[in-house]
Amino acid sequence: MARQMQFHFLYNTLSSIREVVLQDPEYASDLIYDFTVYLRACIRTMQNQELISVYQEMEYVRAYVNIEKMRMGKRLHVTYDLQSEDFKIVPLSIQPLVENAIRHGIFPKGLQGGNVSIKAETLAGCHIITVKDDGVGFDYQKVQDEVRRGERDSVGLDNTTSRLKQQCNADIVITSEIGTGTTVTILVPI
């Protein structure tokens, strides 16, 4: 997990908050709170691998999203449809998926920006979490082939999917289309 914490993200966040402090101290205070929530989640996950509620995980996701919104402004739109939040999930398992959606899906669209939606529901004996973006998309099979050949690093996604499979017996389905976006669906059996 420590390897997943992006040091450039930490540096950029602190630098951005520093710029906001003089212009809007109240907003800066809110961002510092979000940053501490995010850091607390990272530290707790490194120390303890117990499952947490989706509700708690969404607190980490919202903190991360608020920080990214500070950096991206009106280019980033995130919606939440949380019909079910009381089941357990691996800590910091949804947040990296949202991070990938923003960093690899929406950010490359530049000034156009885009949307990320996060949905949690329970259907037919299964808890379902979906993270969807309307970003640039990618050729999933090509990326998997590059990872197998050692030409590309996929440590963050691999760690997340591995932890979800091991600790929750979850299935993860990733679909993506270039120019349309990416959808990651986590299926956790009840």
Side-chain angles (χ1 to χ4, degrees), residues 3-14:
R3 277 184 261 142
Q4 281 185 253
M5 192 183 305
Q6 300 289 328
F7 292 110
H8 70 272
F9 170 74
L10 299 175
Y11 174 78
N12 288 340
T13 299
L14 289 172

Side-chain angles (χ1 to χ4, degrees), residues 5-61:
M5 192 183 305
Q6 300 289 328
F7 292 110
H8 70 272
F9 170 74
L10 299 175
Y11 174 78
N12 288 340
T13 299
L14 289 172
S15 294
S16 296
I17 291 172
R18 180 176 177 254
E19 291 178 22
V20 173
V21 165
L22 296 176
Q23 297 168 359
D24 190 344
E26 189 172 326
Y27 180 47
S29 176
D30 292 343
L31 291 169
I32 290 169
Y33 173 79
D34 289 329
F35 189 58
T36 59
V37 168
Y38 175 76
L39 287 177
R40 186 177 343 127
C42 293
I43 292 167
R44 281 184 181 164
T45 302
M46 287 185 274
Q47 295 174 340
N48 184 356
Q49 289 295 313
E50 290 182 18
L51 299 180
I52 62 171
S53 70
V54 170
Y55 178 85
Q56 181 68 48
E57 176 71 7
M58 291 311 301
E59 182 179 316
Y60 304 152
V61 169

Side-chain angles (χ1 to χ4, degrees), residues 66 84 119 127 158 169 187 190:
N66 289 341
S84 179
K119 184 173 187 174
H127 301 297
D158 290 346
N169 195 29
L187 304 154
I190 296 176

Side-chain angles (χ1 to χ4, degrees), residues 86-102:
D86 57 350
F87 62 95
K88 301 283 187 177
I89 194 85
V90 176
L92 287 183
S93 56
I94 302 171
Q95 183 275 329
L97 301 177
V98 173
E99 182 175 343
N100 280 350
I102 294 169

